[in-house]
Amino acid sequence: MNRPTFTPVQPVSKTGVVTPMRRIRMLQVLAFLALWCIVICGRLIWLQVIQHHEWQDRALRQQQRTFEVAPRRGVLYDRNLHELAMTTLADSIFAVPSEVGDNKPMTATALAAVLHVDPTDTFTSGSQMLARLNASRNFAWIARKQSPEMIAKVKALNLKGIYTVKEFKRFYPDNEIAAQVLGYVGIDDNGLGGLEENFDEDLHGTPGRMYANVDARRHRLGSEEREPLPGENLVLTIDENIQYMAERALDHNMARTHAKVGTVVVQDPHTGQILALAVRPTFNPNDFRHATTDLLRDHAVSDVYEPGSTFKLVTYSAALEEHVATPDGMVDCGGGQINVAGRIVHDAPGEHFGNITVAKALAESSDVAAIRLAQRMGAEKFYQYIKAYGFGDRTGIELPDETRGLLKPVRKWNPTTIGSIPMGQEVAVTPIQLISMASTIANGGVYLPPHILLQSTNDMKGDGKLQPAAFHPENDLPSPLPDGAHRVISTLTAAQMRKMMEGVVEFGTGHLTTQLNGYSAAGKTGTAQKIDPRTHTYSKTNFVGSFVGFAPVNNPAVTIAVITDSPDHSMHFGAEASGPVFQELAQEILEYLGVPHDQPLRTPAQAAKVDAALHADNDEPQENADDLNSLFAEVNNLPANDPLRSSPADGTRAPVSKHDLEQQDSGALPPAPEDSGQPASPLIDPKILEAKREQEKEESAKEVADNKAGQQPLQAPSSATPAPGGGVVVAAGKRVTVPQFTGEPVRKVIEQAGSIGITVKVLGSGIAREQAPAPGTMVPEGTAVVVRFGR
């Protein structure tokens, strides 16, 4: 019997169906799962390792809000620690556009109705605000650094999503004062002009940070802050009071001359420190948006102009230093013209000088004389002095956009240049360069670079460490000298130049407008034709009138430069356009500083009398002007038989009193000089005259007392009567002796006459040449003496 055969049974599923491919499928699943794990792990490595920092930053941006905390900008102080620029808090308006929602157009319109008060301010217009609201979801500026009144109006609107935040705002308490020096600051506290721009990095400080954690609904969970570091404070050399005086004097002059631009610079000649720098027209740095580019420009350092005759100070000082001239030496002015390489150069119309002293040539501002002196030196030597005075280079003053001026090297001079530069043509300078040159002469011959920054400090006013540095005039130079300082001329040459420049003020081109009361002054006028941009030639109507000077003469306290660009043609000369500014400003500054007077102080009445005489039109023809004695008689209404109507003939003694004749007969007086063609010297010894005046004062006082006691009115002095020997005797009463006026300038003549009780009829200008009656004549008090002046 055969046994049955068993065959292996295939695995079956519970349903009884056999699945032979199950293993393959399992392998596929395992492979997929492995690949998926590899991808996930790779992605995790990519995100958590390779891009770890990027995603961490994104998380921080979602979970935190970072706010930059602006630092407080440094303060700008004047030398007395008065705040010229400071930082205050102001409210700014911002919006959260996501909270505003769909009401953005209506919100922008409502805000613009309140904030858009200035048509030129596009930032607060409705369209601009709506654009900013649509451009962001979380934050948008509406208006920044607004006034409390404006903030109150916006809050009254009660708009959803509109908030305020405190910001620092730059504030200039004196408004326009020293605007070009200080500059201005933009909306983001960035310096955009003046010292604010030049020292922006130091003034700005280091911003702080504030980190705030927020949840998904933007609710703050906590914060962390990093304090900002305030900017450094700057103490300037500016004196706020002197700055105000300078700007006020400049305003007066701009109204008087209707000039296009005016600039005034005041400097301490012994340190180079700028005490004031004023420019007109100007702007308000608190509202700089409405200022044009020209208003923002600092003309004292950024503009150049041909200096004209003020540049002759370089020529004359160089000639003295090189010993090619002396103040009393002669220079040939050629009758008012000179030929330079075929070009005829003329002096001012009406001036036809021949051989005159160098001092007189400077006082009268002769162009021909300046050219002669430059030719004596030679071009190379002259150029060396121009460079030594700082022309052609930047001074290094701490103000932006300074220009170096225009000065050609000698190799580029043409044959006629030596006839132009000595009188201030073919060279362009800045007001800062000009005043530095004048200060070099004032301080004894040492060039000191100008500067306007006194110190930079982290200390604040009131903390005890920062102290004011009030300006007190000194006569000593810094020791050691600062960088860039060097000697240009000797102390002797500087002293000679100061004396010659005093002549400009006393009887030269500036004598009508630059003299001070109680102080001596020295300076130089300048009148330069401007270049006509259409013809590229010198204009016949546009000028730059300037004056640079210092006071007092022997111990200068301040140097002042005044530049008036395009004044009215009727007053385009430097003495007329800029001289009055120097006169007004120097007088105020010296009195403010308490500088001792070095000349007699005139009373207001005397000052008015001198001023009226100095400003009289002396060029008008006078009746009987050729006969001083006839004019004297006419002015004083003398009767026909009055002995004072005529003076002694040439070669005779001057009229004297009976007492003086007796003194002469006894040998106490010298004999009369022979006629030499020069004005006669007084025959009376000054000591005798002084004693006589004292005796007359005593007699007059006694006479007044006697009249008071007897209740008798004073008798007017009677007319003079002839004295033996041709002299004149004045009847008893109040009488004075006519002084010697010849050789004196107008101002001193008027002062001297006023001091003894007589007046002066002025003919001409310059130096006293003739007078009537003659010196030594006894005349009643109140008599008008006729004096002819000439140059």
Side-chain angles (χ1 to χ4, degrees):
M1 176 175 191
N2 292 334
R3 292 184 176 183
T5 303
F6 294 95
T7 305
V9 180
Q10 297 291 333
V12 295
S13 65
K14 294 181 179 180
T15 58
V17 179
V18 178
T19 55
M21 299 299 294
R22 181 179 178 87
R23 181 175 298 174
I24 297 173
R25 291 176 178 175
M26 290 295 293
L27 292 175
Q28 291 176 342
V29 171
L30 291 175
F32 174 77
L33 291 175
L35 179 62
W36 181 80
C37 289
I38 292 172
V39 171
I40 293 297
C41 290
R43 182 62 175 170
L44 290 175
I45 293 173
W46 175 260
L47 295 176
Q48 296 186 9
V49 178
I50 298 176
Q51 292 189 323
H52 169 75
H53 295 291
E54 179 181 349
W55 290 102
Q56 186 180 46
D57 292 340
R58 288 190 181 186
L60 290 175
R61 286 197 294 270
Q62 291 179 355
Q63 300 166 11
Q64 291 184 342
R65 284 290 178 265
T66 303
F67 302 94
E68 185 177 279
V69 182
R72 182 181 291 273
R73 194 173 180 87
V75 181
L76 295 178
Y77 295 107
D78 86 330
R79 63 186 311 124
N80 298 310
L81 299 187
H82 297 149
E83 291 89 350
L84 299 176
M86 57 195 300
T87 299
T88 60
L89 286 174
D91 285 305
S92 293
I93 306 167
F94 71 95
V96 179
S98 60
E99 296 183 13
V100 176
D102 296 334
N103 295 326
K104 294 176 184 177
M106 182 186 69
T107 299
T109 301
L111 290 171
V114 174
L115 296 170
H116 191 54
V117 295
D118 183 1
T120 64
D121 183 12
T122 58
F123 189 82
T124 56
S125 65
S127 59
Q128 289 292 323
M129 283 192 282
L130 181 59
R132 292 196 296 273
L133 290 173
N134 291 328
S136 176
R137 175 176 175 81
N138 298 319
F139 182 88
W141 284 116
I142 298 299
R144 302 183 67 180
K145 303 178 181 180
Q146 297 295 306
S147 65
E149 295 78 13
M150 195 65 71
I151 295 298
K153 291 180 181 180
V154 172
K155 288 183 176 179
L157 297 176
N158 197 25
L159 297 173
K160 184 179 180 181
I162 304 300
Y163 305 96
T164 61
V165 63
K166 293 287 185 181
E167 281 195 290
F168 286 127
K169 180 181 180 180
R170 200 60 162 171
F171 176 63
Y172 302 87
D174 292 330
N175 296 318
E176 294 91 353
I177 297 296
Q180 282 79 8
V181 173
L182 303 178
Y184 56 101
V185 171
I187 197 67
D188 291 315
D189 267 359
N190 296 320
L192 300 177
L195 292 168
E196 297 277 24
E197 175 186 355
N198 214 37
F199 292 93
D200 183 56
E201 185 176 349
D202 301 313
L203 290 167
H204 192 277
T206 303
R209 298 280 181 180
M210 184 175 70
Y211 306 95
N213 296 318
V214 296
D215 60 12
R217 297 181 180 272
R218 301 294 188 266
H219 294 157
R220 182 177 296 184
L221 301 178
S223 63
E224 178 182 353
E225 295 185 9
R226 188 183 73 191
E227 292 294 330
L229 299 177
E232 293 184 353
N233 306 311
L234 303 183
V235 181
L236 310 183
T237 62
I238 294 290
D239 184 310
E240 184 184 37
N241 295 321
I242 297 179
Q243 178 72 31
Y244 173 75
M245 297 175 193
E247 301 209 5
R248 182 176 60 183
L250 186 55
D251 284 335
H252 294 164
N253 200 54
M254 294 294 286
R256 183 180 65 90
T257 64
H258 304 100
K260 179 181 178 182
V261 176
T263 306
V264 171
V265 186
V266 183
Q267 186 179 42
D268 173 12
H270 293 94
T271 63
Q273 296 176 4
I274 301 299
L275 302 175
L277 193 160
V279 176
R280 286 295 184 273
T282 187
F283 70 102
N284 186 346
N286 291 313
D287 188 24
F288 66 90
R289 297 181 188 86
H290 295 94
T292 63
T293 303
D294 289 339
L295 295 180
L296 301 175
R297 189 179 183 90
D298 189 348
H299 299 278
V301 297
S302 300
D303 284 6
V304 298
Y305 72 101
E306 285 193 347
S309 293
T310 55
F311 200 77
K312 292 173 184 174
L313 297 178
V314 179
T315 308
Y316 279 78
S317 62
L320 295 181
E321 185 70 13
E322 286 299 307
H323 305 293
V324 299
T326 62
D328 296 328
M330 306 303 291
V331 58
D332 182 10
C333 295
Q337 67 179 28
I338 185 174
N339 188 322
V340 183
R343 172 193 171 200
I344 304 299
V345 179
H346 297 272
D347 275 334
E351 295 182 350
H352 306 292
F353 301 114
N355 281 314
I356 59 175
T357 64
V358 172
K360 180 177 176 64
L362 178 65
E364 301 297 345
S365 196
S366 170
D367 293 337
V368 175
I371 296 171
R372 293 279 192 198
L373 297 180
Q375 289 176 334
R376 292 181 187 179
M377 284 184 288
E380 289 287 350
K381 187 63 67 175
F382 182 40
Y383 179 79
Q384 291 176 13
Y385 281 95
I386 297 174
K387 295 291 289 184
Y389 274 113
F391 296 107
D393 296 309
R394 295 183 179 89
T395 65
I397 192 171
E398 302 92 344
L399 291 170
D401 304 324
E402 183 187 10
T403 181
R404 65 178 68 248
L406 300 175
L407 176 64
K408 297 183 295 185
V410 177
R411 66 178 182 275
K412 293 186 178 180
W413 287 18
N414 56 51
T416 62
T417 300
I418 196 65
S420 297
I421 293 182
M423 61 180 183
Q425 294 182 352
E426 288 191 35
V427 59
V429 306
T430 66
I432 287 293
Q433 291 175 331
L434 181 71
I435 197 171
S436 298
M437 177 268 293
S439 289
T440 301
I441 298 173
N443 68 30
V446 175
Y447 173 83
L448 295 171
H451 58 101
I452 203 167
L453 177 65
L454 202 57
Q455 63 172 312
S456 175
T457 177
N458 290 319
D459 298 327
M460 294 286 292
K461 174 184 176 182
D463 61 8
K465 296 181 180 179
L466 188 61
Q467 297 297 322
F471 173 63
H472 300 290
E474 300 288 346
N475 296 325
D476 297 326
L477 295 172
S479 181
L481 292 175
D483 292 340
H486 55 270
R487 179 164 291 281
V488 181
I489 56 178
S490 66
T491 54
L492 175 60
T493 299
Q496 292 173 331
M497 284 298 300
R498 289 196 298 270
K499 189 64 178 177
M500 291 167 59
M501 293 169 67
E502 184 180 16
V504 175
V505 173
E506 288 292 333
F507 53 83
T509 56
H511 78 281
L512 292 178
T513 58
T514 59
Q515 294 179 359
L516 308 181
N517 184 9
Y519 297 102
S520 60
K524 185 68 188 77
T525 59
T527 306
Q529 294 174 282
K530 297 183 67 175
I531 299 294
D532 190 331
R534 296 172 300 175
T535 62
H536 301 287
T537 59
Y538 284 110
S539 172
K540 301 294 185 181
T541 57
N542 287 329
F543 295 82
V544 176
S546 57
F547 184 87
V548 61
F550 44 81
V553 174
N554 293 326
N555 297 296
V558 292
T559 308
I560 301 174
V562 184
I563 294 88
T564 307
D565 184 358
S566 303
D568 281 349
H569 186 69
S570 61
M571 54 185 74
H572 68 274
F573 291 108
E576 300 166 329
S578 298
V581 182
F582 173 85
Q583 184 182 58
E584 175 184 350
L585 184 55
Q587 190 76 42
E588 287 187 342
I589 293 176
L590 295 178
E591 292 174 352
Y592 162 71
L593 297 175
V595 176
H597 295 101
D598 64 339
Q599 288 190 349
L601 188 63
R602 300 189 300 270
T603 65
Q606 291 172 332
K609 186 183 297 185
V610 172
D611 185 69
L614 289 176
H615 291 80
D617 187 2
N618 297 320
D619 294 328
E620 292 184 0
Q622 301 285 344
E623 186 177 1
N624 297 327
D626 292 335
D627 187 348
L628 294 186
N629 293 292
S630 299
L631 183 57
F632 166 75
E634 183 176 327
V635 168
N636 292 281
N637 296 317
L638 297 179
N641 61 348
D642 196 306
L644 288 178
R645 286 189 61 89
S646 61
S647 63
D650 293 342
T652 64
R653 286 173 168 79
V656 295
S657 69
K658 181 178 181 180
H659 173 75
D660 296 326
L661 287 172
E662 293 172 353
Q663 292 290 330
Q664 182 173 332
D665 292 338
S666 65
L669 298 178
E674 297 296 329
D675 183 14
S676 61
Q678 298 296 329
S681 300
L683 295 177
I684 312 299
D685 185 86
K687 294 181 180 179
I688 297 176
L689 287 178
E690 186 63 29
K692 181 174 179 58
R693 292 190 190 110
E694 293 297 329
Q695 180 182 357
E696 290 170 353
K697 289 180 181 178
E698 293 175 1
E699 293 175 354
S700 178
K702 182 179 179 180
E703 187 176 353
V704 172
D706 293 342
N707 285 330
K708 285 184 177 180
Q711 298 297 319
Q712 295 295 329
L714 290 174
Q715 298 296 323
S718 62
S719 178
T721 58
V728 177
V729 177
V730 181
K734 182 61 176 176
R735 59 194 188 280
V736 294
T737 305
V738 176
Q740 168 84 347
F741 290 136
T742 55
E744 299 291 346
V746 177
R747 183 172 69 90
K748 288 188 176 180
V749 169
I750 297 174
E751 288 177 349
Q752 189 176 359
S755 66
I756 62 173
I758 61 176
T759 61
V760 177
K761 175 66 175 179
V762 177
L763 301 177
S765 62
I767 298 296
R769 303 302 184 189
E770 298 177 82
Q771 68 179 84
T777 304
M778 300 299 296
V779 298
E781 190 177 46
T783 299
V785 177
V786 180
V787 183
R788 175 182 286 118
F789 295 83
R791 296 185 177 181

